[in-house]
C-alpha cells in the first residue's frame, strides 16, 4: 500500500486538509468526510471523458487519504513523519498492537538505519563565487600629492582577488561516494587553481574514512587520508593526514580535531595542526535559530590570534543575516561586518567589508549557489488539480445553492484566498489571490460551513497562489437574506455563519 501511495500523491499533500477534518478527528468524522467527497468525485457521476478522468484522479487521492487515516497504525506513522514515513523500508513489520509512542520510537530507529544506508546516496552540487574589492582609496587618499593628475578626484576601487569553487558528490554504492571538486583563485594579478578527487566510505554508523588525491599549479600533487569517528553520543574526532609534494620536497601534515556538544546548541572544538603552518586552536560555537556566535583563540606559526564573531538571523522569507567580527593577532587587527540574503530559491548573495591595520579596507562579495530543484511543475500540478476539482463541483454546487435558497440558508457570494494587499496596490491582487467561491459553497451542509485548523491550500479546489507568504481567506456570504463578511488567517479554524460577521445596513 505504501508504494502505491508514493506513486500518486504529492509529497506535500495534507490528508487532513484534503478531507477537511481535525487532526483529532474520530473514525466517524473521517468516514463522514470521506463519503461526502466520494459522492462529489465519483467517476460514474460524470459522462464527459475529460471530467471522468479528472474525477478518477481526485477520487483515488481521497481514497488514499482515508485509507491512511482510518488505520490507527498508518495514521500514527503519518502524524509523526508525514506521507514519506509510509514509504520507509521496514514500516510494515511494526507490530500493529503498538502504541503511537512505541511506533515513534521504532520509526526513529528505522530512520537512522535508512539514513546510514543512504548517507552517500545523493549528488550534492555546490558552488561558491567570492570577489574581493580594494576600497582603501575611499578612506586613505593622497590628494595633495596627486592634485594635478587627471581623474585623481575619483577614488580608485579595484577588484584585487577572486575565488571560484565547485564540488559534486556521486554515489557509487550504498557505502561509497566519490567527490570531485575544484577551485580557481586570483589575487593581485597572480592566479592558480587545483582539482581534488576523494573517495569516501561509511565504515559503520559511528564513522567514515576518506582518501583524497589532488593536484594544482601552485603546490603540486597531494595525497591525504581523513577519518571521522563518533567517540560518544556527544563527542567526535576527525583526523586528517596529508602529503604535499612541491619543489621544496615532500611536506607532511597532520590535523586532529576533537569536538564535544556542550549543550543542544553549543559545540566546543580543540584543534592541533602539525606540519604546514603548525598551530593549536580552541573555539566555542553556539548556533541557535536566531543567532550564531563564535569565540576562538589560536597559537601557531606564523599566525596567532584571538577572534570573536556574531551573526544575527532574521526570521524572514529571504533568510537575511547580518554579521560582525573582531580579529586581533600578530598580523594586526581586523574588523569585518556584512550581510547576506537569499536572492532566489537556490542562491544567496552576501557582502563583507573588512577594515584592518595594516591591511586597509576591502569589500568581498560572495554568491553561493545551492543544488537546484525545480518545483514549477508541482505548483502547476496543484493549480490544474484545483481547477479540475472546481469543474467537478459545478453540478453539486448548483443543487446545494437551490436547497439553501429554498430555506433562506447559507449562500457564498464571493470568496478569495491568498495574500491581500492595500488599496494602493490593488492592481497586484489578481496575482496574489484566487477565487474559491465554488469550493466553499460545495462544502456547505445544512446551512453551515466548518473549516479546520489547517492550511486552506490543501482543501479540494484550492491551491497556494503565493508560496511562502502569509495568506488569508476572505468570504462574503448571505444568510437569512443578510450579507455577512469575514476574513480569517490561513491556519485559523472558521465557522460560518456567525452574527459577528453581519454587515450593518448603514455600511
Amino acid at each position: 500500500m505504501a508504494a502505491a501511495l508514493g506513486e500518486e500523491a504529492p509529497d506535500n499533500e495534507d490528508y487532513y486538509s484534503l478531507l477537511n477534518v481535525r487532526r483529532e478527528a474520530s473514525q466517524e468524522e473521517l468516514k463522514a468526510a470521506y463519503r461526502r467527497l466520494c459522492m462529489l468525485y465519483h467517476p460514474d457521476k460524470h459522462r464527459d471523458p475529460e471530467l471522468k478522468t479528472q474525477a478518477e484522479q481526485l477520487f483515488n487521492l481521497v481514497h488514499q487519504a482515508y485509507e491512511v487515516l482510518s488505520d490507527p497504525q498508518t495514521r500514527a506513522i503519518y502524524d509523526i513523519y508525514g506521507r514519506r514515513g509510509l514509504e520507509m523500508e521496514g514500516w510494515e513489520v511494526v507490530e500493529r498492537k503498538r502504541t503511537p509512542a512505541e511506533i515513534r520510537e521504532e520509526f526513529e530507529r528505522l530512520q537512522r538505519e535508512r539514513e546510514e544506508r543512504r548517507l552517500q546516496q545523493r549528488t550534492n552540487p555546490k558552488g561558491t563565487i567570492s570577489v574581493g574589492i580594494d576600497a582603501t582609496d575611499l578612506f586613505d587618499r593622497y590628494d595633495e600629492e596627486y592634485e594635478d593628475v587627471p581623474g585623481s578626484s575619483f577614488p580608485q576601487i579595484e577588484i584585487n582577488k577572486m575565488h571560484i569553487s565547485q564540488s559534486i558528490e556521486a554515489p557509487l554504492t550504498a557505502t561509497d561516494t566519490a567527490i570531485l571538486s575544484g577551485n580557481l583563485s586570483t589575487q593581485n594579478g597572480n592566479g592558480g587553481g587545483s582539482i581534488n578527487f576523494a573517495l569516501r566510505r561509511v565504515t559503520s554508523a559511528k564513522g567514515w574514512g576518506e582518501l583524497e588525491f589532488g593536484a594544482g599549479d601552485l603546490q603540486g600533487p597531494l595525497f591525504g587520508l581523513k577519518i571521522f569517528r563518533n567517540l560518544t553520543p556527544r563527542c567526535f574526532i576527525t583526523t586528517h593526514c596529508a602529503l604535499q609534494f612541491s619543489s621544496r620536497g615532500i611536506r607532511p601534515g597532520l590535523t586532529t580535531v576533537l569536538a564535544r556538544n556542550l549543550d543542544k546548541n553549543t559545540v566546543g572544538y580543540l584543534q592541533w595542526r602539525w606540519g604546514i603552518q603548525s598551530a593549536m586552536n580552541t573555539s566555542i560555537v553556539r548556533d541557535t535559530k536566531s543567532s550564531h556566535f563564535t569565540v576562538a583563540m589560536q597559537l601557531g606559526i606564523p599566525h596567532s590570534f584571538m577572534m570573536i564573531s556574531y551573526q544575527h538571523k532574521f526570521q524572514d522569507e529571504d533568510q537575511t543575516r547580518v554579521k560582525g567580527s573582531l580579529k586581533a593577532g600578530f598580523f594586526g587587527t581586523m574588523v569585518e561586518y556584512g550581510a547576506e540574503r537569499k536572492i532566489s530559491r537556490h542562491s544567496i548573495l552576501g557582502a563583507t567589508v573588512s577594515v584592518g591595520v595594516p591591511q586597509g579596507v576591502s569589500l568581498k562579495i560572495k554568491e553561493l549557489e545551492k543544488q537546484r530543484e525545480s518545483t514549477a511543475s508541482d505548483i502547476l500540478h496543484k493549480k490544474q488539480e484545483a481547477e479540475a476539482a472546481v469543474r467537478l463541483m459545478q453540478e453539486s454546487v448548483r443543487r446545494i445553492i437551490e436547497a439553501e435558497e429554498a430555506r433562506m440558508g447559507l449562500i457564498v457570494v464571493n470568496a478569495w484566498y491568498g495574500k491581500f494587499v492595500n488599496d494602493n496596490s490593488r492592481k497586484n491582487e489578481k496575482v496574489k489571490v484566487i477565487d474559491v467561491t465554488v469550493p466553499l459553497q460545495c462544502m456547505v451542509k445544512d446551512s453551515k460551513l466548518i473549516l479546520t485548523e489547517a492550511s486552506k491550500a490543501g482543501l479540494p479546489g484550492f491551491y497556494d497562489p503565493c508560496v511562502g507568504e502569509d495568506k488569508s481567506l476572505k468570504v462574503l456570504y448571505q444568510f437569512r437574506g443578510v450579507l455577512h463578511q469575514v476574513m480569517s488567517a490561513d491556519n485559523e479554524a472558521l465557522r460560518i455563519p456567525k452574527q459577528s460577521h453581519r454587515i450593518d445596513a448603514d455600511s
Side-chain angles (χ1 to χ4, degrees):
M1 179 188 69
L5 294 180
E7 292 173 3
E8 299 182 14
D11 290 338
N12 59 353
E13 194 73 62
D14 185 344
Y15 288 156
Y16 288 100
S17 181
L18 178 66
L19 299 180
N20 189 31
V21 295
R22 302 173 299 116
R23 298 192 73 86
E24 304 82 12
S26 64
Q27 290 294 328
E28 290 73 18
E29 290 175 303
L30 287 171
K31 187 176 296 184
Y34 173 61
R35 286 178 175 174
R36 179 177 173 80
L37 291 175
C38 282
M39 292 177 61
L40 177 63
Y41 293 139
H42 202 287
D44 294 343
K45 299 182 63 176
H46 304 278
R47 296 182 179 181
D48 182 271
E50 183 180 353
L51 289 179
K52 190 177 185 70
T53 301
Q54 295 168 347
E56 288 176 352
Q57 295 174 351
L58 293 172
F59 182 82
N60 290 337
L61 187 59
V62 170
H63 178 70
Q64 292 167 8
Y66 178 70
E67 194 175 30
V68 170
L69 300 184
S70 61
D71 184 289
Q73 185 197 34
T74 56
R75 183 176 180 178
I77 295 170
Y78 178 80
D79 287 345
I80 299 169
Y81 296 100
R83 197 179 60 81
R84 290 181 180 271
L86 300 174
E87 301 171 359
M88 187 176 299
E89 298 175 9
W91 77 270
E92 63 277 1
V93 301
V94 177
E95 294 180 12
R96 302 185 68 85
K97 295 182 180 179
R98 292 195 175 189
T99 65
E102 292 172 330
I103 291 175
R104 182 187 183 94
E105 182 179 353
E106 180 69 11
F107 260 67
E108 288 177 348
R109 183 188 65 80
L110 290 172
Q111 188 178 39
R112 287 194 299 269
E113 292 180 355
R114 188 188 188 197
E115 288 303 316
E116 289 166 7
R117 291 193 301 270
R118 298 185 59 186
L119 182 62
Q120 305 306 319
Q121 293 294 302
R122 294 174 298 177
T123 299
N124 187 24
K126 296 179 182 178
T128 302
I129 300 175
S130 178
V131 178
I133 300 176
D134 188 349
T136 305
D137 202 36
L138 281 173
F139 303 91
D140 187 12
R141 304 191 62 205
Y142 297 92
D143 294 334
E144 296 181 358
E145 297 183 20
Y146 298 97
E147 284 181 346
D148 299 330
V149 178
S152 63
S153 59
F154 297 97
Q156 293 185 356
I157 300 176
E158 59 183 20
I159 296 177
N160 61 357
K161 59 183 177 180
M162 181 179 292
H163 179 81
I164 302 174
S165 65
Q166 184 74 33
S167 68
I168 186 169
E169 300 178 4
L172 302 177
T173 67
T175 58
D176 297 329
T177 301
I179 305 167
L180 182 65
S181 62
N183 66 81
L184 293 172
S185 299
T186 177
Q187 183 170 357
N188 297 325
N190 298 317
S194 64
I195 186 169
N196 289 73
F197 175 78
L199 184 62
R200 179 180 299 172
R201 165 165 288 189
V202 178
T203 56
S204 68
K206 292 186 177 181
W208 49 262
E210 182 177 292
L211 286 174
E212 178 185 11
F213 308 92
D217 58 349
L218 295 180
Q219 296 189 353
L222 176 142
F223 297 93
L225 172 65
K226 184 182 291 186
I227 298 174
F228 171 87
R229 180 77 176 179
N230 277 312
L231 303 179
T232 68
R234 301 183 63 181
C235 185
F236 65 86
I237 187 170
T238 302
T239 300
H240 183 205
C241 308
L243 292 176
Q244 179 75 65
F245 294 83
S246 66
S247 58
R248 299 180 181 180
I250 301 177
R251 304 176 64 184
L254 174 65
T255 302
T256 301
V257 179
L258 178 66
R260 178 178 174 80
N261 291 289
L262 304 179
D263 59 36
K264 185 175 70 172
N265 299 308
T266 309
V267 182
Y269 297 91
L270 288 175
Q271 182 188 75
W272 175 65
R273 187 169 62 244
W274 171 82
I276 305 171
Q277 297 186 349
S278 299
M280 292 187 66
N281 182 294
T282 180
S283 61
I284 296 177
V285 179
R286 180 170 179 80
D287 190 23
T288 66
K289 186 177 181 180
S290 60
S291 65
H292 183 94
F293 175 77
T294 303
V295 58
M297 180 178 67
Q298 176 173 301
L299 297 175
I301 302 173
H303 299 300
S304 294
F305 62 86
M306 292 189 66
M307 186 268 289
I308 184 170
S309 69
Y310 177 79
Q311 181 180 105
H312 184 75
K313 309 172 187 177
F314 292 92
Q315 304 303 307
D316 60 353
E317 181 183 350
D318 297 322
Q319 301 177 8
T320 306
R321 301 183 180 190
V322 295
K323 55 187 177 181
S325 67
L326 172 63
K327 191 175 182 180
F330 293 161
F331 57 84
T333 302
M334 179 175 291
V335 176
E336 289 188 347
Y337 58 91
E340 66 178 40
R341 186 174 185 176
K342 184 178 180 181
I343 57 176
S344 71
R345 180 177 176 84
H346 307 286
S347 298
I348 296 174
L349 181 66
T352 303
V353 177
S354 300
V355 182
V357 179
Q359 291 86 354
V361 181
S362 64
L363 171 65
K364 183 169 67 174
I365 300 174
K366 179 179 72 173
E367 181 178 356
L368 174 63
E369 184 176 355
K370 297 182 177 180
Q371 181 179 2
R372 297 185 176 274
E373 298 175 352
S374 175
T375 58
S377 60
D378 294 336
I379 296 174
L380 179 60
H381 173 77
K382 294 298 292 184
K383 181 179 179 181
Q384 292 173 342
E385 186 180 89
E387 292 173 345
V390 170
R391 288 194 293 270
L392 297 172
M393 293 174 182
Q394 296 294 340
E395 182 61 28
S396 296
V397 166
R398 185 184 62 80
R399 293 196 301 267
I400 292 172
I401 291 178
E402 289 178 354
E404 293 297 323
E405 286 179 340
R407 68 173 70 171
M408 294 287 286
L410 176 59
I411 305 294
V412 178
V413 179
N414 277 308
W416 303 272
Y417 173 68
K419 181 178 181 180
F420 292 87
V421 293
N422 55 42
D423 293 336
N424 295 330
S425 305
R426 184 70 64 180
K427 59 182 180 180
N428 296 326
E429 187 169 306
K430 292 182 180 179
V431 181
K432 296 293 186 180
V433 301
I434 58 174
D435 189 325
V436 292
T437 306
V438 172
L440 286 187
Q441 185 68 67
C442 195
M443 287 186 279
V444 172
K445 183 179 181 181
D446 298 330
S447 298
K448 293 180 182 178
L449 174 62
I450 302 174
L451 301 180
T452 60
E453 294 181 357
S455 175
K456 310 300 184 290
L459 291 170
F462 282 62
Y463 71 93
D464 194 338
C466 45
V467 178
E469 300 185 56
D470 292 334
K471 290 170 283 292
S472 301
L473 176 64
K474 184 177 181 180
V475 186
L476 179 66
Y477 65 94
Q478 185 173 307
F479 181 70
R480 300 289 187 241
V482 179
L483 282 176
H484 296 65
Q485 182 173 282
V486 62
M487 179 178 285
S488 67
D490 188 22
N491 291 285
E492 181 182 352
L494 179 63
R495 188 180 183 91
I496 292 176
K498 280 189 176 181
Q499 190 172 357
S500 58
H501 301 165
R502 180 169 175 163
I503 301 175
D504 293 335
D506 294 339
S507 60

